Amino acid sequence: MNHAMASYVRRRVGTQILVLLLVITALMQVLELLDVTTDVLKRDRGLIGIVYYGMLRLPAELVMALPPAVLLGTLMGLGTMARNLEIATMRTAGVSMMRLLGYLLPLAAVLAVAQFLLSDHVLPPAENGLKEWWSASAPADDTPTKRWAHTSGGTVSMESTSPDGRSLIDVRLYVRDDAGLLKSRLTATEAQWDGQAWRLKGVNEFRYGEKRVEHIQVAERAWDTNLQPEDVLRLDIARPNLSTVMLAEVIKGTRTGTRPHRYYESVLYRAYAAPLAVFVMLLLALPTAVSLPRGTGGGSRMAMALILGLGFLLCDGIVAVLGLSARWPPLVIALAAPALFSAIGLLQLRASESI
């Protein structure tokens, strides 16, 4: 009996969440495509280009839409069941609010895992693919932007890059010693990725010693660096989406990053904590299940759940920004908002038991 009841509740709420996820994502797609359609058409990509752009943007929009979809879907699903006296019947049969929460936890776990897999395995390559495609279709008169990166071999600049990030033009590498003094300066007309490593062409290197400057000039040489073509594509993105493996590699120094290590540590913790948003939204929406059939108090509870849900998203973003500037521990930055609003949700759930 309990198993059938749990499956029924999960099915009702899960269907509402899925429908709202599709609706919110579709709305985000339409608004974004309306904004970029002119630019895509200027690049002579036509309708196929618009569709392709939308497909590459879809993972990011799904990740953004899932938490509000969980909040609204749970509100609507449980609200409908309350109006149909289904919740009242379940509570009369001895089903507590905590047990109702237990019924929905497997659904939340599935959605949380889906969100993590989507953001960790699908979103980073989709973002890189969009960047490569967008650069390849750029008008010829676009002025290339000079890019900088901190690599394992020093600070490097490049005047321009190929759309796939495998060719760098006018490369300049600056290497400093432990005291921060310039140890060598290298320039190369081009750097080509051969699939495993970089090859520099037209190399001029100046090595600064205590008493003399050594000048080395070669036509071609290997470049030992942790910079990879996919890293090149992300250099001009303010907040690139990196997988947890990539973040760990940046922290260890085996992959190039453009920000301090503390930033990547915080992003890594936040990547693991992000799926908790699904559970938080579920907790904040669950007290609406006690709404009376005639709606007494139901509207205020729904409004409170919406305010708390939006407050959670806002608080999480503010903590992330302030935490980095105030040098808070990465774990605090990642868990402060989920912990606070989970406690609020549990307190509300306990208080609803007596209603």
Side-chain angles (χ1 to χ4, degrees):
M1 179 66 179
N2 285 338
H3 177 72
M5 188 181 299
S7 299
Y8 175 75
V9 173
R10 285 195 292 266
R11 185 169 63 252
R12 290 288 299 272
V13 175
T15 301
Q16 289 286 353
I17 291 174
L18 181 60
V19 170
L20 282 167
L21 177 63
L22 295 177
V23 170
I24 295 172
T25 303
L27 181 61
M28 294 172 65
Q29 278 262 306
V30 170
L31 292 176
E32 183 163 4
L33 290 179
L34 286 175
D35 186 50
V36 303
T37 294
T38 302
D39 292 333
V40 174
L41 295 178
K42 284 182 179 178
R43 296 164 184 258
D44 296 325
R45 294 296 178 173
L47 180 60
I48 295 178
I50 296 173
V51 174
Y52 187 65
Y53 181 95
M55 290 176 59
L56 291 177
R57 283 291 299 154
L58 186 59
E61 290 162 348
L62 284 171
V63 171
M64 291 177 61
L66 184 56
V70 172
L71 176 66
L72 295 174
T74 306
L75 285 173
M76 293 180 64
L78 294 180
T80 301
M81 293 177 67
R83 286 192 298 272
N84 294 336
L85 296 177
E86 294 172 271
I87 298 295
T89 304
M90 292 168 58
R91 297 193 71 186
T92 302
V95 177
S96 65
M97 295 300 294
M98 293 304 294
R99 181 179 294 183
L100 186 60
L101 172 62
Y103 289 166
L104 292 173
L105 282 180
L107 173 63
V110 170
L111 294 174
V113 170
Q115 182 191 24
F116 178 79
L117 294 177
L118 193 63
S119 61
D120 196 60
H121 296 285
V122 181
L123 182 54
E127 183 182 71
N128 255 17
L130 178 60
K131 182 66 172 62
E132 181 178 343
W133 176 78
W134 195 253
S135 299
S137 60
D141 58 350
D142 270 14
T143 303
T145 303
K146 189 172 184 177
R147 301 176 182 178
W148 292 82
H150 298 288
T151 70
S152 58
T155 303
V156 62
S157 72
M158 56 210 80
E159 287 295 331
S160 62
T161 66
S162 62
D164 60 0
R166 292 173 172 265
S167 178
L168 315 178
I169 307 301
D170 193 5
V171 178
R172 298 175 182 269
L173 178 65
Y174 304 90
V175 182
R176 299 182 181 275
D177 58 20
D178 295 336
L181 300 177
L182 188 63
K183 185 169 64 174
S184 69
R185 178 173 64 88
L186 180 148
T187 63
T189 58
E190 186 179 3
Q192 286 285 346
W193 177 261
D194 62 10
Q196 296 182 341
W198 293 98
R199 302 293 302 179
L200 297 174
K201 298 180 180 180
V203 179
N204 277 284
E205 183 178 6
F206 293 89
R207 297 180 179 176
Y208 304 101
E210 294 183 358
K211 296 183 179 180
R212 67 188 183 92
V213 176
E214 182 181 0
H215 179 212
I216 301 173
Q217 185 175 11
V218 294
E220 183 176 342
R221 59 172 275 191
W223 182 20
D224 184 18
T225 178
N226 60 352
L227 183 68
Q228 299 182 26
E230 58 184 12
D231 299 325
V232 174
L233 295 176
R234 298 189 180 95
L235 290 179
D236 57 352
I237 301 177
R239 293 184 179 181
N241 290 291
L242 303 177
S243 68
T244 53
V245 173
M246 294 176 183
L247 290 168
E249 289 175 350
V250 173
I251 294 171
K252 289 190 298 184
T254 57
R255 182 179 289 270
T256 300
T258 58
R259 290 171 172 261
H261 277 191
R262 282 194 67 259
Y263 170 82
Y264 294 102
E265 290 173 357
S266 299
V267 173
L268 179 61
Y269 279 102
R270 284 177 58 81
Y272 285 117
L276 295 176
V278 173
F279 296 95
V280 174
M281 293 300 189
L282 178 65
L283 273 174
L284 296 177
L286 199 56
T288 59
V290 301
S291 301
L292 297 178
R294 296 183 182 274
T296 306
S300 61
R301 291 193 187 94
M302 279 197 171
M304 179 59 67
L306 288 172
I307 292 172
L308 288 174
L310 294 175
F312 164 70
L313 296 176
L314 180 62
C315 179
D316 191 42
I318 292 175
V319 168
V321 174
L322 294 180
L324 287 171
S325 60
R327 297 184 178 276
W328 294 353
L331 193 59
V332 173
I333 297 175
L335 296 180
L340 173 61
F341 282 84
S342 293
I344 293 174
L346 287 172
L347 289 174
Q348 280 192 317
L349 196 62
R350 168 158 286 192
S352 67
E353 291 280 12
S354 58
I355 297 177

